[in-house]
Amino acid sequence: MIIHKSTNPRISSFDPENFSFGNTFIDHMIICEFEDGKWGDVQLVPYGQLPFSPAMMGVNYGQACFEGMKAYKDKDGKVFLFRPEKNFARINKSASRLAMPEVTEEMFLEGLKALVDIDRNWIPQGEGMSLYIRPLIFATEEALKARIANKYMFAIVATPAKSYYTEPVSVKISDFYSRAANGGVGSAKAAGNYAASFYPTKLAMEEGYDQIIWTDDSTHEFFEESGTMNVFVRINDKIYTPPTSEKILDGITRDSFIALANKRGIEMKIEPISVKAVVEAQKNGTLKEVWGVGTAVVTSVFQALGYKGEKLMLPILTLEDSFALTLQKDLVDIQTNNAEDPFGWRVLVEKNILETV
């Protein structure tokens, strides 16, 4: 690894009580370039601008994917990653689907640990606090040719994070727009998936909703995802979540919720969720909770579902009564080292890694 430490670090001006998530960046980043059929040296460099052309193929043809993950600092100042091997596997799955070169485990994990270690002072402590980390791969070749690019960049950047949604939200069940289609790239974290979701979400927000529950593209009769999250439904005391597919992202938070529900002995059904069944459950009082899960938000509880012009209200439950909030607490306690980790999900980031690189 080639290391260029910042000569003008900004950490002294960082206020962990007052910062903007997604716009505040740590002092360093990881970059690595692919050319002539191979990856070059991984570089840890000061965070900053990179020179690219408007003819860059990633901008013109959309060869770009990313991951979302977090680092946490416990009460003793120890720093942990959460299931990074899953993010490594998934970014390569996305890269493969977009005809981009896969990264090596050493590039991904060692680069990640080195970055988190050198900028560990940027990780805020406290409830809901973390460092949000964004690994990404994108085509950099300068060419206006609709083909697979020959040059790419792998990068990792990071921003301090706090609680995403603090209040229950209202979501609209989509009966027209879809997030993904059969044979498409819904199971990849392709940048274009998110761009395509912005317009339908804008329309939903104009109707007074915060997000969308995406439904299947062919019939709009089954739940798929919610916004940028996987979706869970509780009817009576059973939890349902759709199975992953080429249209539904294999969420790491989703997988963790399933494991934690099973550990608690909560009945968990991984099967298609019909819109009709959810609406009927709301009408007869058996629909207890609907929520979304994802890296940034962890858990977003829904207070209302919009469907065909009607707003269907949901009960707002306390921690003692809510499966969503109980499983969220179980997960966050493991992530932040406030509970035992029976699954081996936490990965300690040792101090001074760069001295041994």
Side-chain angles (χ1 to χ4, degrees):
M1 183 181 296
I2 297 173
I3 301 164
H4 297 290
K5 292 186 180 181
S6 174
T7 58
N8 186 30
R10 293 167 285 104
I11 184 61
S12 60
S13 63
F14 172 57
D15 180 358
E17 302 297 326
N18 182 28
F19 66 90
S20 175
F21 168 68
N23 299 103
T24 303
F25 295 96
I26 64 176
D27 280 318
H28 296 87
M29 61 184 179
I30 294 288
I31 58 172
C32 184
E33 296 187 84
F34 181 94
E35 190 172 359
D36 298 327
K38 63 181 183 300
W39 289 106
D41 293 323
V42 175
Q43 301 180 60
L44 188 148
V45 299
Y47 176 83
Q49 304 297 309
L50 295 169
F52 293 117
S53 162
M56 184 173 74
M57 292 178 72
V59 172
N60 287 276
Y61 304 109
Q63 274 187 293
C65 68
F66 65 88
E67 275 299 311
M69 55 196 305
K70 286 182 176 178
Y72 302 85
K73 184 177 288 182
D74 72 6
K75 60 183 182 297
D76 298 319
K78 294 180 181 177
V79 172
F80 298 90
L81 297 171
F82 181 73
R83 307 188 75 179
E85 75 287 347
K86 299 282 283 185
N87 297 97
F88 165 68
R90 195 170 62 182
I91 199 170
N92 277 339
K93 179 181 178 181
S94 298
S96 177
R97 178 60 182 86
L98 296 172
M100 298 193 294
E102 297 183 9
V103 296
T104 68
E105 185 172 13
E106 182 179 13
M107 285 171 59
F108 188 89
L109 295 180
E110 297 309 312
L112 184 65
K113 291 176 181 178
L115 179 64
V116 171
D117 177 40
I118 197 171
D119 279 339
R120 62 176 55 232
N121 290 337
W122 282 90
I123 307 174
Q125 285 177 292
E127 185 176 355
M129 300 294 207
S130 61
L131 182 72
Y132 182 84
I133 307 166
R134 171 58 56 85
L136 63 158
I137 306 171
F138 52 96
T140 58
E141 183 181 355
E142 185 180 16
L144 298 181
K145 298 178 180 180
R147 58 161 170 77
I148 296 171
N150 293 313
K151 297 180 182 179
Y152 299 87
M153 177 170 282
F154 167 65
I156 308 176
V157 297
T159 175
K162 44 194 169 186
S163 295
Y164 204 83
Y165 295 121
T166 56
E167 299 294 333
V169 298
S170 298
V171 295
K172 180 183 178 181
I173 299 173
S174 177
D175 56 6
F176 180 76
Y177 292 103
S178 296
R179 175 186 173 273
N182 286 313
V185 294
S187 62
K189 284 189 74 71
N193 289 348
Y194 297 81
S197 74
F198 294 157
Y199 177 69
T201 303
K202 174 179 176 287
L203 296 181
M205 293 176 72
E206 289 172 355
E207 295 181 37
Y209 295 98
D210 301 290
Q211 265 296 354
I212 290 177
I213 289 184
W214 303 106
T215 52
D216 67 289
D217 63 298
S218 55
T219 68
H220 296 287
E221 293 179 359
F222 294 93
F223 280 22
E224 291 195 336
E225 293 190 8
S226 178
T228 58
M229 303 174 289
N230 292 111
V231 64
F232 287 77
V233 172
R234 174 187 170 190
I235 297 176
N236 287 322
D237 286 336
K238 293 181 184 178
I239 298 177
Y240 299 81
T241 195
T244 57
S245 66
E246 62 184 12
K247 296 191 293 178
I248 297 176
L249 190 71
D250 187 7
I252 295 164
T253 308
R254 171 191 177 275
D255 183 72
S256 303
F257 261 66
I258 292 169
L260 290 165
N262 288 332
K263 183 175 182 296
R264 278 189 170 269
I266 299 171
E267 190 169 358
M268 185 80 234
K269 297 286 188 180
I270 302 173
E271 61 187 40
I273 302 170
S274 76
V275 175
K276 181 180 178 181
V278 172
V279 172
E280 287 180 352
Q282 192 276 340
K283 300 288 189 183
N284 64 32
T286 58
L287 182 64
K288 304 301 183 185
E289 297 179 90
V290 185
W291 69 95
V293 303
T295 299
V297 66
V298 184
T299 306
S300 179
V301 175
F302 303 157
Q303 66 178 357
L305 307 176
Y307 186 62
K308 294 193 179 297
E310 187 177 3
K311 201 165 193 176
L312 309 174
M313 302 306 297
L314 295 167
I316 302 301
L317 305 178
T318 63
L319 174 61
E320 291 73 21
D321 299 321
S322 168
F323 286 1
L325 298 180
T326 296
L327 295 174
Q328 177 189 29
K329 185 177 186 305
D330 288 348
L331 179 60
V332 172
D333 282 349
I334 291 175
Q335 291 171 328
T336 56
N337 198 26
N338 284 324
E340 292 297 317
D341 178 12
F343 306 99
W345 288 341
R346 275 195 309 265
V347 175
L348 177 67
V349 178
E350 301 284 355
K351 285 187 176 182
N352 303 318
I353 291 172
L354 292 177
E355 293 181 4
T356 62
V357 173

